[in-house]
Amino acid sequence: MATSPQDAEIDIDARRRRAKFRAWHRGMKEMDLLLGQYADEHVATMTAEDLDGFESLLEVLDRDLFKWFTGEGPVPVDHYTPLFRAICSHHGIKLT
């Protein structure tokens, strides 16, 4: 059964709301701030493909994300994406 464009828009809106909530409720305040602030400014305009990448990043453990954002650990190739770099840039984080 095919979905209508209206159904697809409702689905993406629900995903956006969920992603925003998850970004602000990580468990580690630093990650809440980094991901939540980015989500507040960008989730509303994310495409389904963009959301796929953001949701994938939300699955990563806080301790790993924290290391990547602070430069304490290398960012795995599969997560060193334009989205990850955009989040860093949004917060003025210089990647080495």
Side-chain angles (χ1 to χ4, degrees), residues 3 7 22 27 38 42 46 49-51 55 66 81 94:
T3 60
D7 290 341
R22 289 181 63 204
Y38 184 83
H42 298 281
M46 284 185 181
E49 185 177 291
D50 296 335
L51 279 171
E55 289 165 339
F66 188 75
T81 62
K94 304 285 185 218

Side-chain angles (χ1 to χ4, degrees), residues 17-90:
R17 284 190 305 274
R18 246 186 334 268
K20 205 169 178 182
F21 179 86
R22 289 181 63 204
W24 275 109
H25 295 87
R26 302 281 307 166
M28 188 173 175
K29 193 62 175 172
E30 293 84 354
M31 291 301 95
D32 290 353
L33 292 169
L34 284 171
L35 297 175
Q37 289 176 359
Y38 184 83
D40 280 353
E41 291 194 34
H42 298 281
V43 163
T45 59
M46 284 185 181
T47 64
E49 185 177 291
D50 296 335
L51 279 171
D52 290 342
F54 193 64
E55 289 165 339
S56 175
L57 199 58
L58 291 172
E59 293 298 321
V60 177
L61 295 174
D62 281 347
R63 67 176 176 252
D64 294 334
L65 281 173
F66 188 75
K67 288 178 187 176
W68 303 346
F69 282 121
T70 60
E72 293 177 31
V75 182
V77 174
D78 58 326
H79 286 293
Y80 193 73
T81 62
L83 172 65
F84 183 83
R85 293 189 299 275
I87 294 169
C88 290
S89 178
H90 176 83

